[in-house]
Amino acid sequence: MRTDTSWGTLPAREHLPVEVTEAPVLDVTIPVYNEERDLEPCVRRLHGHLARTFPYSFRITIADNASTDRTADVSARLDAELPEVRAYRLEQKGRGRALRTVWSHSDSPVLAYMDVDLSTDLNALLPLVAPLISGHSDLAIGSRLSRSSRVVRGPKREFISRAYNLILKSSLSARFSDAQCGFKAIRRDVAQRLLPMVEDTGWFFDTEMLVLAERAGLRIHEVPVDWIDDPDSTVNIISTATEDLKGVWRVGRALAVGALPLDRLARPFGDDPRDRRLPGVPGGLARQLVGFCVVGALSTLFYLLLYSLFRATASPQLANAGALLVSAIVNTAANRRLTFGVRGRDGAVRHQAQGLVVFAIGLALTSGSLAALDAASGNPAHSTELAVLIAANLAATVLRFLLLRAWVFPDRRADELPRTEVPGDALADTPADSAALYSRNAR
């Protein structure tokens, strides 16, 4: 994953300007491979629908990824006949590669794609992109699994789709309902930051993009769709499912070890309504307190469980030190991500080291409490030890929060972060992926 580029957070979302500009507001990409029969009816139907119903300027981009039939000729003819249509030719296969290449070169502020079979009813297109145009959302997806969606497909594909989404929810904690519906849109400023992190070039591209966006806190809008299965689909279900499961494992592992710099996708402080200031309360304190309390409560239960397990074979002091050390590492990692919103690997080792200093202070308080209890009663009951430890941990908790907030994870405002302009071609894979444009690179 290409994560070596340094830049600041995303700008705040804004409504796209309504004045006429040179670049079309919407660029709809249709990735194709050997679709000489279906391509022209699809493009003409989509073009007619947009010309008739879409209130903004638009472009339709055909992304031909290494077709070996007459798809290239059909694309060139449509490019020549329809002013709003352009054609790209890629010499390598892969839907994800096609989308990333076209989107990286597009000058439109809203980027979308749909499958060439047009299984999704086109009346959902405007509701799909409207939240992106208004500035309400960062990405939008069509969902076949919404309660109000109307879907016609066989039991085999229904089972596969629901099983796949269940895997995503259980393994990657995904909250979006439909990862693989070929009907999605994204704001260009988000795509510039998000796509370099997406490694897959095939069918898992959609899922990886959505999982990373969701983990980074971006807003994903879902649109119920009417969808009719294409019985002539050439997608190999077995090989696609295998590659998807490999992708789930790869992304899950990267997220688990913090290998992805998701902080570069964060919106600036204040863009989230939860960041608004309360009178007399420092910015973000209320939200951080809630997160810290939740993490602290779970960490305390985890600590007490470990202490009880260790106490069966060790002295109170050793059991306390071991339980506190393990729970402190987990607590620091959880507070880093959930309470203070720090993502990615940068500073992770330093944060853990500072967390261990905080741990040492907590250890001194709790160990001192145990020593005092032992000196006072000689052989205290296990329940008494737990009660004293709970009281000592409550005292240490207040100090821990103050140290985490002021020293380990100090508040960094977005306006203090350097901003770097991202070139439009920063996302291209290879010179071949910059695509051989048949004609009219820009309308």
Side-chain angles (χ1 to χ4, degrees):
M1 298 181 181
R2 290 160 295 174
T3 59
D4 55 340
T5 305
S6 176
W7 44 50
T9 57
L10 281 167
R13 288 187 298 263
E14 294 182 355
H15 195 299
L16 296 177
V18 296
E19 64 266 17
V20 177
T21 59
E22 220 174 281
V25 171
L26 173 66
D27 192 346
V28 183
T29 301
I30 303 176
V32 292
Y33 174 73
N34 288 350
E35 297 287 355
E36 62 179 359
R37 186 185 65 178
D38 295 334
L39 178 58
E40 183 166 358
C42 162
V43 171
R44 292 193 181 278
R45 179 182 164 197
L46 175 60
H47 182 273
H49 177 84
L50 289 170
R52 187 174 65 256
T53 66
F54 195 68
Y56 294 89
S57 56
F58 66 89
R59 176 194 297 136
I60 300 172
T61 301
I62 304 168
D64 174 15
N65 41 320
S67 293
T68 57
D69 62 358
R70 293 183 57 257
T71 297
D73 298 332
V74 177
S75 300
R77 185 172 69 252
L78 291 169
D79 182 291
E81 291 181 14
L82 301 175
E84 292 82 13
V85 174
R86 68 174 181 178
Y88 269 92
R89 168 74 180 186
L90 291 90
E91 298 304 329
Q92 293 177 287
K93 291 178 60 177
R95 182 181 67 168
R97 176 180 287 108
L99 291 175
R100 180 164 58 207
T101 301
V102 171
W103 283 354
S104 69
H105 288 83
S106 179
D107 53 357
S108 297
V110 176
L111 311 170
Y113 97 88
M114 61 182 62
D115 292 334
V116 69
D117 56 18
L118 294 186
S119 295
T120 304
D121 186 79
L122 292 178
N123 287 327
L125 182 56
L126 182 55
L128 182 81
V129 301
L132 309 186
I133 293 174
S134 70
H136 174 272
S137 300
D138 300 295
L139 299 92
I141 64 174
S143 174
R144 299 163 295 183
L145 302 181
S146 172
R147 288 183 179 273
S148 56
S149 298
R150 294 181 294 180
V151 177
V152 178
R153 61 178 166 182
K156 180 180 177 180
R157 284 184 175 271
E158 181 75 12
F159 172 78
I160 292 173
S161 178
R162 291 189 179 276
Y164 179 66
N165 282 282
L166 181 61
I167 291 172
L168 294 181
K169 291 179 185 297
S170 59
S171 61
L172 298 178
S173 301
R175 295 190 298 273
F176 48 85
S177 66
D178 192 351
Q180 289 286 29
C181 180
F183 197 71
K184 295 182 175 69
I186 185 172
R187 287 178 64 104
R188 181 173 179 267
D189 58 346
V190 176
Q192 288 178 326
R193 303 290 182 85
L194 177 58
L195 297 188
M197 302 182 198
V198 180
E199 183 175 316
D200 191 79
T201 59
W203 292 94
F204 187 69
F205 174 88
D206 303 50
T207 302
E208 186 170 355
M209 179 179 70
L210 291 174
V211 169
L212 299 186
E214 187 175 74
R215 287 298 186 95
L218 298 181
R219 181 174 290 164
I220 301 175
H221 178 72
E222 294 198 19
V223 178
V225 297
D226 299 338
W227 193 85
I228 300 176
D229 188 20
D230 177 16
D232 299 323
S233 174
T234 58
V235 177
N236 188 311
I237 296 178
I238 301 299
S239 63
T240 300
T242 301
E243 292 302 315
D244 285 350
L245 292 176
K246 290 180 181 177
V248 169
W249 168 256
R250 174 176 53 78
V251 172
R253 183 177 56 185
L255 292 172
V257 300
L260 296 166
L262 298 178
D263 53 323
R264 73 175 55 166
L265 297 174
R267 291 292 181 184
F269 187 88
D271 184 65
D272 191 323
R274 293 171 295 182
D275 292 331
R276 291 174 184 165
R277 293 183 177 275
L278 300 175
V281 179
L285 178 59
R287 177 168 54 83
Q288 290 175 356
L289 276 172
V290 172
F292 181 79
C293 289
V294 172
V295 171
L298 296 176
S299 297
T300 300
L301 293 175
F302 182 56
Y303 160 78
L304 294 175
L305 175 62
L306 288 177
Y307 178 81
S308 298
L309 292 174
F310 294 162
R311 185 66 179 87
T313 57
S315 66
Q317 294 288 4
L318 287 177
N320 174 61
L324 198 58
L325 175 60
V326 175
S327 61
I329 294 174
V330 175
N331 181 277
T332 300
N335 276 311
R336 182 178 188 269
R337 172 66 178 86
L338 301 176
T339 303
F340 299 98
V342 180
R343 303 175 176 89
R345 284 182 172 179
D346 293 346
V349 175
R350 174 174 57 83
H351 293 154
Q352 281 293 349
Q354 291 172 307
L356 289 177
V357 174
V358 178
F359 150 75
I361 297 173
L363 177 62
L365 287 174
T366 53
S367 297
S369 300
L370 282 175
L373 176 63
D374 186 63
S377 60
N379 188 23
H382 181 62
S383 58
T384 306
E385 289 179 354
L386 289 180
V388 170
L389 287 173
I390 291 173
N393 269 286
L394 288 176
T397 295
V398 176
L399 181 59
R400 184 184 303 122
F401 176 75
L402 295 176
L403 287 173
L404 289 177
R405 178 177 169 83
W407 180 49
V408 184
F409 307 110
D411 187 22
R412 295 180 305 167
R413 302 306 170 96
D415 55 5
E416 296 174 355
L417 296 174
R419 296 190 181 275
T420 305
E421 294 297 324
V422 183
D425 59 351
L427 310 181
D429 267 347
T430 64
D433 282 350
S434 63
L437 190 61
Y438 290 120
S439 61
R440 294 193 300 276
N441 260 338
R443 301 285 182 187

